[in-house]
Amino acid sequence: MEGLKASSLPSSFHRLNFITSRPFGTKIKKPILHYPFSSQQPNSHPSSFEYKKAKFELSTAMSSTVSTDQETEPKEKHEKFDWYAHWYPVMPLCDLDKRRPHGKKVIGLDIVVWWDRIENEWKVFDDTCPHRLAPLSEGRIDQWGRLQCVYHGWCFGGSGDCKFIPQAPRDGPPIHTSSKACVSVYPSCVQNGILWFWPNVDHQYKDILLKEKPPYIEEIDDQSFTSQMMTRDITYGYDVLTENLMDPSHVPYAHYGILRADREGGRPLDLSVKTLDKNGFSAKSPTGCNTFIPPCVFYSSGTIGGTPDNQSAGAKEDSSTNKPLKKLLLVFLCVPVSPGNSRLIFTSPRNFGVWIDHVVPRWIFHLGQNLILDSDLYLLHVEERKIKEVGSFNWNKACFVPTKADALVVGFRRWLNKYSNGQVDWGTKFSGDLPPTPPKELLMDRYWSHTVSCSSCNLAYKGLNALEVALQVISIASIGIVAALKQGTLSMTARNTLVSVAILCFVASKWLSRFIYKNFHFHDYDHAFR
């Protein structure tokens, strides 16, 4: 999944440089490398077997900047990561329809997003009507711009206040002004073309945007860059999604036949985590670095061509040619939804080949990106259940990760264990159990996980379905004309032409039906026959 924008990215991107920035001036401590001998008593002597085992573990630990042995962590208390004190991405604006409310689940919270045309901004409410707890996301926006619950018609303004209760007597007390009639409102903002919300309705966070903003990536807003966004709901959890995106080694194998990668193209990767604390970490390769800003943001940025000096300094031009450097980012927003479910918002800003995005429809890119996600979806769904069986704190014991290529994955698992008890904090909403595994057609379903909520794919889906119906009508009509007219009315050439048209339209409609199903509903990926 490291290269979702497969149709437009060169294979050399996996060797790009990466640039990092820390949010809000956070200072990060260097990680401590803990040696396997630390568990020995000062005066004890290891046996020959123990010594060889410890020597191997030492060489394994030294192969990556981040130790894979969680037992070697110091027994000190660390400040825990507060999952409800950070901004979360909800949806790209390009996929939000101002004419209707949208229901989403983020970190276990059911929210409704709707456009308040009175205040001219997007609002994020608790998706619950205070009357009888019906979902407001199934409601409508009325002619006065209010969010209306369609169960009993209660209407709400942008501040969550109840504007109208149809069942209340007109000449009676104004019961709609009661605080009990209000809807909880979450702080929200728009940044980088994405709607974000703060998952806490406490009054103290009303003006949280003045104190803290979501992580900002300037290239997404840079007019010299092009950036297509995509959203997909995933049937495995946040932790597995995030670690998979931090793993470049799986690309030539799990995504073979999609990306420009040799199936036997695996090679050593010199990755190392340089800084790790509660606020995330940065990691370097020989040619650059990646950045993880919890809870949701993981991104890589690099240049194609240029000298190492230019790349490390973040220069905009190649000093050897004085030409602008080709810059490319992979930005992944990994959203925890519920146990066993997550959401990915992906974009890949670049300052070259900009014309492609103006010519090729957005939904065409999504076909390839969805196929990339599907090609390892089942693998990761099964992997998550095996991790659940052994427990997150035993991940390092169950998984053998001896090479530097796994340094980012190890770094993420270490961060999760160290600052969040090895899991997302779901509060009291979930027991932590994973949902049962559905049939593959549902596990890898594209329609409800992407097509419905993507404005471009939904439009293409409707258009292609209409074309399929039109081809069938033409086919039937052509045969009908030939059958209805008496022999001799049409020349033999005309009759043959109509029959040919009928056959061609029928075959085209069948092909189109298969194309629609594979690209907008379900496409299995059989690795054995790739």
Side-chain angles (χ1 to χ4, degrees):
M1 262 184 273
E2 186 69 17
L4 280 180
K5 212 170 181 63
S7 58
S8 61
L9 302 187
S11 60
S12 61
F13 175 72
H14 304 295
R15 301 187 293 274
L16 291 179
N17 296 342
F18 301 124
I19 307 168
T20 180
S21 61
R22 298 299 307 171
F24 320 121
T26 304
K27 187 176 181 180
I28 307 174
K29 298 179 182 179
K30 293 184 178 180
I32 300 173
L33 180 63
H34 302 283
Y35 296 91
F37 294 111
S38 61
S39 60
Q40 295 285 344
Q41 296 298 324
N43 297 323
S44 64
H45 300 280
S47 65
S48 175
F49 171 76
E50 290 172 334
Y51 177 80
K52 291 179 180 179
K53 180 180 178 182
K55 185 177 180 181
F56 172 75
E57 290 176 347
L58 174 59
S59 64
T60 299
M62 293 182 68
S63 69
S64 174
T65 303
V66 178
S67 171
T68 61
D69 190 350
Q70 298 296 336
E71 291 182 345
T72 62
E73 289 289 338
K75 302 300 182 181
E76 57 182 299
K77 291 185 178 180
H78 300 285
E79 184 182 359
K80 293 302 180 182
F81 183 79
D82 187 351
W83 290 84
Y84 296 89
H86 293 273
W87 290 98
Y88 286 82
V90 181
M91 282 287 287
L93 297 187
C94 58
D95 290 326
L96 290 175
D97 188 344
K98 293 182 178 181
R99 301 170 299 174
R100 59 169 303 160
H102 304 264
K104 291 292 176 182
K105 185 186 288 290
V106 179
I107 198 169
L109 301 173
D110 292 308
I111 59 176
V112 57
V113 177
W114 66 286
W115 175 254
D116 180 8
R117 68 170 182 254
I118 306 300
E119 298 186 24
N120 203 37
E121 62 183 11
W122 290 99
K123 301 290 185 179
V124 180
F125 285 6
D126 177 29
D127 193 13
T128 305
C129 179
H131 177 216
R132 297 272 293 280
L133 310 183
L136 293 171
S137 56
E138 293 297 318
R140 59 185 286 269
I141 299 174
D142 68 12
Q143 60 268 40
W144 294 282
R146 305 173 301 189
L147 177 61
Q148 184 182 65
C149 176
V150 293
Y151 192 22
H152 292 91
W154 287 35
C155 298
F156 305 92
S159 300
D161 54 321
C162 183
K163 296 293 187 181
F164 179 56
I165 298 178
Q167 295 78 24
R170 303 298 184 269
D171 55 352
I175 57 176
H176 68 278
T177 61
S178 170
S179 60
K180 293 183 178 181
C182 296
V183 180
S184 297
V185 182
Y186 292 99
S188 60
C189 70
V190 172
Q191 183 164 278
N192 283 146
I194 298 170
L195 178 66
W196 300 71
F197 92 111
W198 187 273
N200 198 317
V201 297
D202 193 288
H203 186 73
Q204 64 176 312
Y205 298 111
K206 181 179 179 181
D207 298 318
I208 188 63
L209 186 61
L210 301 177
K211 303 175 183 177
E212 185 172 347
K213 299 180 184 297
Y216 179 70
I217 300 175
E218 62 178 338
E219 287 83 358
I220 296 178
D221 291 340
D222 192 329
Q223 294 300 312
S224 64
F225 283 70
T226 183
S227 180
Q228 300 264 22
M229 290 196 179
M230 176 192 177
T231 303
R232 173 81 181 263
D233 285 349
I234 310 292
T235 48
Y236 51 80
Y238 158 88
D239 55 336
V240 175
L241 172 64
T242 305
E243 72 171 35
N244 182 58
L245 296 171
M246 294 180 177
D247 172 24
S249 297
H250 78 284
V251 171
Y253 303 98
H255 305 313
Y256 176 76
I258 308 173
L259 303 175
R260 297 177 184 176
D262 181 4
R263 175 172 273 171
E264 304 306 325
R267 58 187 176 84
L269 295 175
D270 189 10
L271 306 178
S272 59
V273 173
K274 294 300 182 184
T275 56
L276 186 150
D277 65 7
K278 190 183 71 168
N279 298 304
F281 61 79
S282 62
K284 304 198 77 174
S285 70
T287 55
C289 33
N290 303 313
T291 301
F292 170 57
I293 306 174
C296 298
V297 179
F298 173 67
Y299 72 95
S300 309
S301 64
T303 55
I304 299 176
T307 64
D309 292 338
N310 288 338
Q311 295 167 349
S312 61
K316 294 184 178 180
E317 292 186 349
D318 183 355
S319 58
S320 61
T321 62
N322 293 325
K323 293 182 179 180
L325 290 172
K326 294 180 179 180
K327 190 172 182 181
L328 174 66
L329 288 82
L330 291 178
V331 181
F332 303 101
L333 304 181
C334 307
V335 184
V337 174
S338 62
N341 293 280
S342 57
R343 183 174 300 116
L344 172 65
I345 300 175
F346 167 74
T347 185
S348 180
R350 68 182 189 279
N351 63 354
F352 59 93
V354 175
W355 62 272
I356 296 176
D357 288 357
H358 296 293
V359 175
V360 181
R362 178 171 167 242
W363 67 272
I364 295 292
F365 290 109
H366 289 184
L367 300 185
Q369 291 163 353
N370 272 314
L371 185 57
I372 293 171
L373 291 170
D374 285 337
S375 59
D376 61 8
L377 192 152
Y378 183 73
L379 305 177
L380 298 169
H381 179 84
V382 173
E383 175 189 321
E384 179 179 35
R385 275 143 178 77
K386 294 183 178 180
I387 294 175
K388 180 68 175 178
E389 290 176 2
V390 301
S392 59
F393 279 101
N394 292 321
W395 178 90
N396 62 300
K397 297 178 181 178
C399 298
F400 182 50
V401 283
T403 69
K404 292 183 179 181
D406 293 311
L408 274 69
V409 177
V410 174
F412 172 72
R413 284 291 173 180
R414 183 185 177 192
W415 175 88
L416 195 64
N417 286 345
K418 190 173 183 179
Y419 297 105
S420 187
N421 199 33
Q423 60 187 351
V424 176
D425 180 9
W426 302 109
T428 59
K429 284 185 171 289
F430 302 104
S431 64
D433 294 336
L434 297 176
T437 298
K440 253 192 173 182
E441 288 78 3
L442 296 178
L443 184 70
M444 301 170 63
D445 170 73
R446 292 187 187 181
Y447 183 76
W448 294 108
S449 64
H450 173 74
T451 305
V452 165
S453 59
C454 175
S455 59
S456 57
C457 287
N458 196 15
L459 183 62
Y461 176 77
K462 293 177 180 177
L464 292 174
N465 272 295
L467 178 59
E468 179 191 353
V469 173
L471 289 172
Q472 293 172 350
V473 170
I474 293 173
S475 177
I476 295 172
S478 298
I479 293 296
I481 291 173
V482 172
L485 295 178
K486 294 180 179 180
Q487 191 170 2
T489 305
L490 290 176
S491 66
M492 183 60 66
T493 302
R495 295 175 70 88
N496 290 339
T497 300
L498 285 174
V499 171
S500 299
V501 168
I503 295 173
L504 289 174
C505 286
F506 176 77
V507 171
S509 70
K510 287 298 182 182
W511 177 88
L512 189 57
S513 175
R514 181 61 178 165
F515 177 85
I516 292 171
Y517 181 75
K518 288 181 67 176
N519 289 284
F520 297 98
H521 285 278
F522 168 71
H523 189 153
D524 197 4
Y525 187 98
D526 191 339
H527 290 266
F529 294 99
R530 276 284 177 174

